[in-house]
Amino acid sequence: MTRRVARRRDGADRSLAATFRRNAAGFHQGAEAALARHPEGARYFLAIAIELALKAHLLNRGISDDWNRVYLRHDLSKALRFARRAGFNGAPAALPELAALLGPYYQVHAISRMPPEAIASVCWSQACTTVRDLIDAVVVAAGREASDHEGAA
């Protein structure tokens, strides 16, 4: 079943979207800093950064924070799917696999219960790069949308 993405009548919440982008970048930086000494924390921070970046795009496209909270919750794969439906085409190639790996554990606050074989299946420094590329792509998309919006005014 396809769920329609609810858009705000008054347009995008660009201020909240910018806050989500900044917070995503902060969690990404935290993941990079924690990776060597606290890999479990780094995985958790990466999941948060993915969620915030994708939701920032949705906010920028006029999809409300309430809708995101109710329908997407902490489902990273679903957030990616809806971001794509909302026009986001800048996702790094490795993101769907990373979201699918982290998502089920992140949704239930169980990153610490990831099996060793799942953890070993990923180069976590490359995962950090993937998330950085995601955040950069969301920033670029937001800039493009802002300039499109200004041109229409």
Side-chain angles (χ1 to χ4, degrees), residues 30-145:
E32 286 190 326
L35 189 56
R37 298 186 84 196
H38 304 286
E40 179 184 314
R43 291 188 294 274
Y44 186 62
F45 287 169
L46 287 174
I48 294 170
I50 292 168
E51 177 183 15
L52 289 170
L54 294 171
K55 287 182 175 180
H57 177 75
L58 292 170
L59 287 165
N60 215 49
R61 297 289 296 167
I63 297 158
S64 75
D65 187 39
D66 288 337
W67 190 92
N68 287 332
R69 192 178 309 110
V70 169
Y71 293 105
L72 298 181
R73 297 172 310 279
H74 299 304
D75 189 329
L76 302 178
S77 295
K78 191 183 218 182
L80 177 57
R81 191 169 58 248
F82 277 92
R84 285 179 169 160
R85 287 181 185 170
F88 182 62
N89 58 10
L95 184 62
E97 185 177 350
L98 182 60
L101 177 71
L102 289 171
Y105 302 99
Y106 178 62
Q107 284 178 307
V108 295
H109 310 285
I111 293 283
S112 63
R113 294 193 206 121
M114 286 180 74
E117 58 274 7
I119 293 168
S121 72
V122 174
C123 171
W124 292 100
S125 60
Q126 183 58 45
C128 285
T129 301
T130 296
V131 174
R132 176 76 258 163
D133 292 347
L134 166 65
I135 295 166
D136 290 345
V138 169
V139 167
V140 167
R144 219 177 13 251
E145 290 166 14

